Amino acid sequence: EFELAEMALAVEVTARGFDDIVAELPRIIEHPRGERVVEGVFHQRARADGNAVGYDTIAASGPHACYLHWTRNDGAVTPGDLILVDAGVEVDSLYTADITRTLPVSGRFTDVQRRVYEAVREAADAAFDAARPGVPFRRVHEAAMEVIAARVAEWGLLPVTAQEALDADSGGQHRRYMVHGTSHHLGIDVHDCAQARREMYY
């Protein structure tokens, strides 16, 4: 119960840090290295309401969002672009959170941005629906990837059908549009149990 409460607190404080970022977007846009301002705004929340950040904050705006784990955070945050923020607060008990969100810098998505955002949200919803006691951890990722494959196939971005892309022997053409895992273990370390045996981790 203590651990669950601390993890819930870490998530709550992290969410407040995201609210801070949204509130500061006008100031962030004004700065030539707005990504650094995003990092600073989140760091202030982490230090004020927790122990520290749980890991290096990713503030990836525009083309930087295409880099996996962009932490240089030295670019501008430009209206019309999207910014991907991946950040977590470590509370005083050392339990940490990890939230990733993509925000429209202008406050509204373009039609294409909205289409991609909704596909990702649909994949996340599928992952949440798959997360049940007793279900293999890997099933959460598989549920999300089924949605991603279906959407990119629907948009004509695959040379094969979604089902063929999902086939383990096909090469997974849909993976070029989502090159990372859906989720990971969380606790005192932001990748808790990452040293567990491979078969147990999955």
Side-chain angles (χ1 to χ4, degrees):
E1 287 182 9
F2 170 79
E3 290 180 299
L4 290 173
E6 289 304 299
M7 291 176 72
L9 175 63
V11 169
E12 178 187 320
V13 176
T14 298
R16 287 202 299 263
F18 275 74
D19 290 342
D20 296 341
I21 292 166
V22 171
E24 291 287 344
L25 274 172
R27 181 169 70 92
I28 290 163
I29 291 167
E30 294 285 320
H31 199 284
R33 291 194 293 181
E35 291 175 345
R36 294 246 169 114
V37 181
V38 169
E39 182 180 357
V41 167
F42 189 81
H43 185 262
Q44 182 176 351
R45 174 63 67 182
R47 290 295 283 162
D49 292 358
N51 184 51
V53 293
Y55 52 94
D56 290 342
T57 298
I58 297 167
S61 189
H64 292 165
C66 297
Y67 288 84
L68 194 58
H69 298 138
W70 173 266
T71 55
R72 279 175 43 187
N73 301 340
D74 60 357
V77 177
T78 307
D81 281 347
L82 302 176
I83 182 166
L84 180 148
V85 180
D86 181 338
V89 172
E90 178 187 85
V91 291
D92 293 335
S93 62
L94 307 183
Y95 280 86
T96 193
D98 180 351
I99 296 177
T100 303
R101 292 291 181 270
T102 299
L103 311 169
V105 176
S106 302
R108 289 188 173 266
F109 293 108
T110 66
D111 290 344
V112 171
Q113 290 169 347
R114 167 74 61 189
R115 192 177 324 143
V116 173
Y117 178 84
E118 291 298 341
V120 173
R121 192 169 71 153
E122 183 185 349
D125 288 345
F128 282 122
D129 287 345
R132 300 262 185 274
V135 171
F137 179 69
R138 187 74 176 165
R139 179 64 197 126
V140 175
H141 176 69
E142 290 167 351
M145 292 306 281
E146 288 163 9
V147 173
I148 297 298
R151 292 300 152 258
V152 294
E154 178 184 297
W155 299 336
L157 299 175
L158 296 183
V160 296
T161 67
Q163 200 54 50
E164 289 170 322
L166 290 164
D167 179 36
D169 298 326
S170 76
Q173 294 90 339
H174 62 295
R175 295 244 340 128
R176 88 180 282 185
Y177 300 101
M178 187 168 146
V179 297
H180 51 80
T182 302
S183 58
H184 54 76
H185 299 272
L186 191 63
I188 290 179
D189 178 20
V190 76
H191 292 104
D192 224 353
C193 300
Q195 297 301 313
R197 291 189 302 277
R198 185 179 182 89
E199 63 273 16
M200 288 180 65
Y201 186 85
Y202 286 127

